[in-house]
Amino acid sequence: MLDKIIVEKINKQINFEFYSAYVYLDISNYYAENNLNGFANWFKIQTQEERDHAMLFMSYLQNNSAKVELGDIKAPKFVYEDFRQPAIEAFEHEVKVTAAIHDIYGAAYELKDFRTMQFLDWFVKEQSEEEKNTDDIIKRYDLFGHDAKGLYLIDSELASRVYTPPTLVI
Ligand code: FEO
């Protein structure tokens, strides 16, 4: 049986993960509109990962007989000034997701809810990858993205990303 504080926080996280999916879909659409189809591909796959995260949190509640409460998903309202900015938004967004997961972890720790802590361990690790992946895009853009050939090469590299299902199974 999960404490109601944990159930509330996880329900909030489900919404945040779906919102993250929406943020990345918006970024993917921006790049697609600008014919950077590799960047668009990378962020579309990121959308799928975020949806997976939301579903994992949902399954966790359901497996523990807790009620899932779906809320409205806010529309992303970003205006991108250049091709670099969406990557910055993505990195900053991931830092916020990390903080949200740490917040649930902190509450679980206070409540001695070891089950939730163990479930969240996967997300704690995943977040370090999520931050690194988006930071890598910024760094590569800064190194190579300022001329057409460099941008083309980064775009080709990002086009090769393929969707892989999460390693966490619950
Ligand atoms: Fe679901 Fe990118 O964190």
Side-chain angles (χ1 to χ4, degrees), residues 22-37 39-40 43 78-87 141:
Y22 235 36
V23 166
Y24 294 135
L25 196 56
D26 188 57
I27 291 177
S28 175
N29 290 342
Y30 164 79
Y31 283 125
E33 282 156 18
N34 286 284
N35 285 315
L36 284 168
N37 295 325
F39 281 84
F43 280 98
F78 299 111
V79 177
Y80 307 115
E81 283 167 13
D82 54 31
F83 299 143
R84 183 179 187 269
Q85 206 192 341
Y141 186 90

Side-chain angles (χ1 to χ4, degrees), residues 70-81:
L70 299 177
D72 294 342
I73 301 166
K74 202 169 57 164
K77 295 280 184 213
F78 299 111
V79 177
Y80 307 115
E81 283 167 13

Side-chain angles (χ1 to χ4, degrees), residues 6-164:
I6 298 295
V7 175
E8 263 171 36
K9 283 183 185 291
I10 292 182
N11 267 314
K12 207 170 136 203
Q13 190 65 26
I14 291 168
N15 189 272
F16 200 26
E17 298 288 349
F18 278 126
Y19 173 65
S20 305
Y22 235 36
V23 166
Y24 294 135
L25 196 56
D26 188 57
I27 291 177
S28 175
N29 290 342
Y30 164 79
Y31 283 125
E33 282 156 18
N34 286 284
N35 285 315
L36 284 168
N37 295 325
F39 281 84
N41 170 65
W42 197 94
F43 280 98
K44 196 186 268 186
I45 289 170
Q46 197 60 24
T47 293
Q48 291 173 280
E49 284 203 359
E50 298 304 343
R51 181 208 54 198
D52 289 339
H53 296 167
M55 301 301 262
L56 286 166
F57 278 110
M58 248 174 53
S59 298
Y60 182 70
L61 288 187
Q62 287 168 334
N63 289 351
N64 286 282
S65 309
K67 187 166 167 48
V68 174
E69 300 208 36
L70 299 177
D72 294 342
I73 301 166
K74 202 169 57 164
K77 295 280 184 213
F78 299 111
V79 177
Y80 307 115
E81 283 167 13
D82 54 31
F83 299 143
R84 183 179 187 269
Q85 206 192 341
I88 302 280
E89 300 289 355
F91 174 73
E92 289 175 355
H93 186 77
E94 285 306 327
V95 171
K96 286 183 198 151
V97 176
T98 300
I101 286 170
H102 288 184
D103 177 65
I104 309 171
Y105 206 110
Y109 179 82
E110 291 291 322
L111 292 161
K112 292 192 166 52
D113 178 353
F114 302 115
R115 190 189 305 173
T116 298
M117 286 162 68
Q118 191 184 47
F119 164 68
L120 288 174
D121 280 339
W122 184 87
F123 286 93
V124 171
K125 186 162 176 285
E126 172 77 1
Q127 279 314 116
S128 73
E129 284 170 27
E130 296 276 84
E131 288 181 21
K132 184 180 184 316
N133 290 342
T134 45
D135 192 42
D136 279 353
I137 295 179
I138 299 167
K139 287 188 175 129
R140 285 214 294 285
Y141 186 90
D142 288 345
L143 274 173
F144 310 116
H146 295 292
D147 70 62
K149 268 189 202 159
L151 189 60
Y152 179 79
L153 287 173
I154 302 172
D155 193 57
S156 306
E157 193 181 304
L158 296 179
S160 67
R161 184 181 188 192
V162 290
Y163 169 73
T164 46

